[in-house]
């Protein structure tokens, strides 16, 4: 009983749609679904590729060993290693 009542209320709403209006329809849905699947596949592939990346940096054996900086002397930026603001 309630299903037929609901249908009688929905039929006038369906007739209110303008027949001259362009809608995406089934083709629009198919294009959207294909694009969504493509994005999902690309994200899955990117996640797999990023999982293979080794983020630890290896030292270059050809590079000259850097000299350790003295801890007690003031560096080029003054004491404490912080640059003082310009006054003027």
């Amino acid at each position: 009983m309630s299903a037929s009542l609901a249908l009688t209320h929905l039929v006038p709403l369906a007739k209110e749609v303008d027949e001259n209006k362009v809608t995406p329809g089934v083709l629009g849905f198919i294009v959207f679904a294909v694009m969504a699947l493509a994005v999902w596949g690309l994200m899955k592939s990117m996640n797999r590729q990023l999982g293979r990346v080794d983020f630890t940096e290896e030292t270059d054996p050809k590079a000259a060993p850097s000299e350790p900086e003295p801890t007690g002397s003031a560096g080029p930026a003054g004491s404490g290693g912080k640059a003082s603001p310009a006054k003027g």
Side-chain angles (χ1 to χ4, degrees):
M1 183 71 161
S2 64
S4 63
L5 182 62
L7 286 176
T8 56
H9 287 290
L10 289 177
V11 170
L13 291 176
K15 284 296 181 185
E16 289 179 12
V17 175
D18 187 11
E19 293 179 3
N20 295 325
K21 192 182 274 188
V22 178
T23 60
V26 176
L27 180 63
F29 174 75
I30 291 171
V31 169
F32 183 78
V34 167
M35 288 174 59
L37 286 173
V39 168
W40 177 77
L42 286 171
M43 295 273 294
K44 189 171 181 177
S45 174
M46 182 186 67
N47 194 15
R48 187 179 320 129
Q49 294 297 325
L50 285 176
R52 294 180 184 173
V53 174
D54 183 21
F55 288 106
T56 57
E57 184 176 339
E58 296 179 12
T59 57
D60 190 12
K62 297 177 184 176
S66 62
E67 297 178 15
E69 294 188 18
T71 56
S73 65
S79 63
K82 295 182 182 176
S84 60
K87 297 179 182 175

